[in-house]
Amino acid sequence: MATYKVVETFLSINGEGRKAGQLATFVRMKGCNLNCAYCDTKWANEADASFTEMTKEEIKAVVVANGAKNVTLTGGEPLLREGIDELLEELLTIPGLTIEIETNGSVDVRPYLIYGDRVTMTLDYKLGASEMEHLMFEPNFDAVRECDTVKFVSGSIKDLERAVEVMNTHSLIGRCGCYLSPVFGSITPADMVEFMKDKMLNGVNLQIQMHKVIWDPEEKGV
């Protein structure tokens, strides 16, 4: 039976994505295959990060006890965890539950698109500020559905220009959710809005990480 290295579970609001502001149970998995320069959860990716080994039934029990109808699987990189499909199938036995998988864009998401819109993907496309763009799995961005989201965390105007190039290359605008988000402290949202106006980016959303506005940006479990 598969078990999962979980560094934290908590009930909060989604800070970003299409369900920003909605209650969700977060399940954060240990470990990531990338090392983004701006990563705000590096602590969860360290080899010595503390974790709880949980079964799919134990994770389900946490989700049921919390009562939220949204669950966010995050990390780290949740799709690297062996048996993630077993966990999805277990969670989908909860009536009315929807699952969002936050994934870093380097792992093939296509095997997990079989569950319909009850399991949605929020994919990062890693831009220059991340130093990880060379590891993006390009077929992901041709496979995304209307219910999925592609997020571009941008640290500069150059990043934003690259984001537009990727959106155009993969015909993302209008085919899935497209979100621009600032690297915290590297570019101002006002400059991003001006860029969006200049490029007339209809169908693209600017997104501020709500949890970093409501709570201390370094606080865990929010």
Side-chain angles (χ1 to χ4, degrees):
M1 176 186 297
T3 58
Y4 310 89
K5 295 178 179 180
V6 178
V7 296
E8 63 175 351
T9 64
F10 58 93
L11 177 66
S12 187
I13 59 163
N14 268 304
E16 52 193 335
R18 295 200 192 186
K19 295 186 177 180
Q22 295 185 25
L23 287 173
T25 294
F26 287 79
V27 180
R28 187 179 304 283
M29 307 286 187
K30 176 182 176 178
C32 189
N33 59 321
L34 302 186
N35 185 26
C36 295
Y38 52 72
C39 180
D40 55 7
T41 55
K42 284 185 183 291
W43 61 272
N45 305 329
E46 301 295 339
D48 61 353
S50 61
F51 63 90
T52 301
E53 198 92 21
M54 299 182 72
T55 65
K56 61 185 180 182
E57 291 84 5
E58 289 170 332
I59 294 173
K60 177 183 177 181
V62 170
V63 173
V64 170
N66 282 346
K69 291 302 183 181
N70 301 315
V71 62
T72 300
L73 303 181
T74 187
E77 174 47 63
L79 292 184
L80 290 177
R81 308 285 72 83
E82 185 176 348
I84 197 71
D85 52 339
E86 297 175 26
L87 175 59
L88 293 175
E89 288 163 10
E90 184 71 22
L91 293 176
L92 287 172
T93 65
I94 302 172
L97 187 75
T98 59
I99 302 168
E100 176 186 9
I101 300 176
E102 292 187 340
T103 180
N104 64 28
S106 72
V107 181
D108 190 354
V109 304
R110 293 172 298 178
Y112 308 100
L113 303 182
I114 63 173
Y115 299 102
D117 60 8
R118 287 190 67 194
V119 178
T120 63
M121 298 290 165
T122 296
L123 293 98
D124 271 335
Y125 186 96
K126 301 298 185 184
L127 299 167
S130 72
E131 302 177 4
M132 296 287 121
E133 184 175 5
H134 62 289
L135 294 176
M136 292 296 91
F137 185 71
E138 291 288 337
N140 281 341
F141 304 97
D142 292 318
V144 289
R145 307 156 298 170
E146 190 281 332
C147 60
D148 298 319
T149 295
V150 178
K151 180 177 66 174
F152 299 87
V153 179
S154 308
S156 64
I157 297 299
K158 182 178 180 181
D159 276 353
L160 292 172
E161 290 171 343
R162 175 61 179 152
V164 172
E165 182 179 344
V166 172
M167 290 181 210
N168 290 337
T169 297
H170 296 283
S171 302
L172 294 177
I173 299 174
R175 190 164 63 82
C176 67
C178 294
Y179 286 75
L180 299 174
S181 183
V183 176
F184 198 72
S186 293
I187 188 171
T188 69
D191 285 343
M192 296 180 74
V193 172
E194 290 304 313
F195 178 88
M196 293 174 70
K197 289 162 57 178
D198 181 60
K199 301 296 184 182
M200 195 49 60
L201 294 181
N202 291 305
V204 177
N205 301 275
L206 176 67
Q207 177 172 262
I208 309 297
Q209 293 176 298
M210 292 176 63
H211 51 289
K212 291 186 177 180
V213 176
I214 298 171
W215 297 282
D216 186 297
E218 301 301 321
E219 191 167 345
K220 298 179 183 178
V222 297

